[in-house]
Amino acid sequence: MLMFVDNVKITVRSGKGGDGAVAFRHEKYVPLGGPSGGDGGRGGDIILRANEGMNTLMDFRYKRIFKADPGQNGQIKGMYGHKADPVYINVPTGTSVYDVDNGHLIGDLTENNQELVVAKGGDGGRGNIHFATSKNQAPELAENGEPGQEKHIKLELKLIADVGLVGFPSVGKSTLLSVATSAKPKIAAYHFTTLSPNLGMVRLDNGNDFVIADLPGLIEGASNGVGLGIQFLRHVERTRVLLHLVDMDPNSGRDPMEDYQAIRKELGNYDENVLKRPEIIVPTKLDVPGSQERLDEFKKQLPDDVDIFPISSIQHTGVKALLNHTSEVLSKAEPIHFDVQTQENKDYNYEPEEKAFTIEKDPEYEHSFIVKGKKVESLLQRTNMDHQDGIMRFARQLKSMGIEDALIKAGAESGDSVTILDFTFEFI
């Protein structure tokens, strides 16, 4: 069973706002009491919070739906309802959040304790204390709370490591990680031993510690989804320095230069910016007989200005020098900035403003019309239909929006039924 999970979809539902109250003061010695219905409380938000102690999205395999509580309804004597507490969902640092419905990036959690509101709680409805006027000093009118939001979101984990180990399977990445850090990755002499990224902390004598990630091995076509494909490549985005390991074993049946160029090609196909980052070429397995001759031939095919550090992880030869040099290169490397506004998902295409409402004939029933539209549906959800004042106010709002004239134009006559969401009324 693959225990590392770096891509998962969940559903979040924020809390509905509390309803406003219709109430009047009936107290001794208060002659003109007037309305005293309080406002409803705000519904609970759904908030994602980055936690550097997590390194996988495995927890979301068992729980995929998260709900927040609604706000408390308004009370008598002008008392407001309590707002609901937000629901915090911990995710690993390095998690990108996408809207499943449109694919847009909602936010990027790259720092510990960073928070992102993914579903806002509904506002509380106003109580009748707000609707008193000189003409109507005792209004039986209040608003319902605003419905909460429901969103389907995708969480995508991209590891945040200072240094990333790249290279074909079985070139020695896991072995180097185990030697350089206290990490204990699974190691064996066959391809794709590493099915999930491993992180380790390199601690140097000079105090310049850094995080290193052993990432799953690449093969040709990975940028198109072949092999572990994108599961690997997404994690390369956030490493500041690349250690490119190349196998020097003459018995491997592979050509070092072809392997090196193939990996560079896949990285470039995925994201050209990755190729601009500092790279240290690390020929491995120098303890194998014949590897030195192969290394000499490999060097002849490289430009003179490349950064190359041969090692033998088994004998620990060159490992300490490589880590110290990596620390120096890392100190000079530019930090990677994660600006949500520059993501590919952001576009500036003009989109015409959505119509306030549409009217269509009900195909199932004669003399029946259906009114749709976010604005009018929200208006209905916020209207308290338990009191005549609320119903009359709703009717006035429909007329001011032009719905009455639009219904007449669509052929509606007195006695026809009109439906908005689950509410049906007779048109007069």
Side-chain angles (χ1 to χ4, degrees), residues 55-223:
N55 57 14
T56 175
L57 296 171
M58 189 65 189
D59 291 348
F60 297 97
R61 281 292 176 93
Y62 307 106
K63 185 176 181 181
R64 296 290 186 95
I65 300 176
F66 297 85
K67 302 177 183 178
D69 293 331
Q72 186 182 27
N73 293 336
Q75 306 294 317
I76 62 174
K77 298 184 179 180
M79 293 186 292
Y80 288 14
H82 290 296
K83 67 177 181 179
D85 294 329
V87 172
Y88 289 95
I89 305 173
N90 287 326
V91 298
T93 304
T95 299
S96 296
V97 186
Y98 297 89
D99 189 317
V100 172
D101 295 330
N102 55 33
H104 289 175
L105 179 67
I106 299 174
D108 225 347
L109 297 165
T110 58
E111 299 178 2
N112 190 39
N113 293 324
Q114 184 179 352
E115 296 181 357
L116 175 67
V117 179
V118 291
K120 292 184 178 180
D123 288 331
R126 293 179 295 173
N128 70 333
I129 196 172
H130 294 282
F131 294 98
T133 65
S134 58
K135 293 183 178 180
N136 187 1
Q137 298 182 13
E140 291 187 351
L141 176 62
E143 290 178 335
N144 290 336
E146 182 182 22
Q149 297 178 338
E150 177 172 329
K151 288 185 179 179
H152 305 285
I153 61 177
K154 181 177 74 171
L155 305 179
E156 187 174 284
L157 174 59
K158 300 174 184 178
L159 291 180
I160 297 180
D162 300 309
V163 178
L165 304 179
V166 299
F168 267 79
S170 300
V171 296
K173 299 188 298 297
S174 297
T175 304
L176 174 59
L177 181 73
S178 65
V179 172
T181 73
S182 59
K184 297 180 180 179
K186 181 181 179 183
I187 300 172
Y190 50 87
H191 282 191
F192 294 116
T193 304
T194 305
L195 294 179
S196 62
N198 293 304
L199 286 176
M201 175 67 75
V202 176
R203 301 190 180 278
L204 301 178
D205 296 337
N206 59 11
N208 295 330
D209 303 338
F210 58 88
V211 178
I212 189 170
D214 158 31
L215 302 166
L218 276 174
I219 60 174
E220 291 185 72
S223 57

Side-chain angles (χ1 to χ4, degrees), residues 230-286:
I230 305 302
Q231 293 183 44
F232 157 78
L233 285 168
R234 71 163 62 94
H235 299 296
V236 180
E237 292 182 26
R238 293 180 170 174
T239 54
R240 296 166 57 200
V241 175
L242 298 179
L243 298 188
H244 193 150
L245 277 61
V246 185
D247 192 347
M248 292 294 126
D249 184 356
N251 302 315
S252 65
R254 305 191 63 85
D255 181 83
M257 180 51 67
E258 290 182 2
D259 285 359
Y260 173 72
Q261 292 175 339
I263 295 295
R264 295 278 296 176
K265 179 181 178 181
E266 294 304 323
L267 293 174
N269 287 343
Y270 179 72
D271 186 351
E272 291 184 354
N273 292 323
V274 175
L275 297 181
K276 300 176 183 178
R277 295 175 194 163
E279 177 192 57
I280 303 174
I281 301 174
V282 184
T284 63
K285 303 183 182 179
L286 268 296

Side-chain angles (χ1 to χ4, degrees), residues 255-258 260-261 294-304 306:
D255 181 83
M257 180 51 67
E258 290 182 2
Y260 173 72
Q261 292 175 339
R294 208 166 210 220
L295 173 60
D296 295 338
E297 184 65 27
F298 178 63
K299 285 182 176 180
K300 292 179 183 179
Q301 303 175 63
L302 293 172
D304 295 332
V306 297

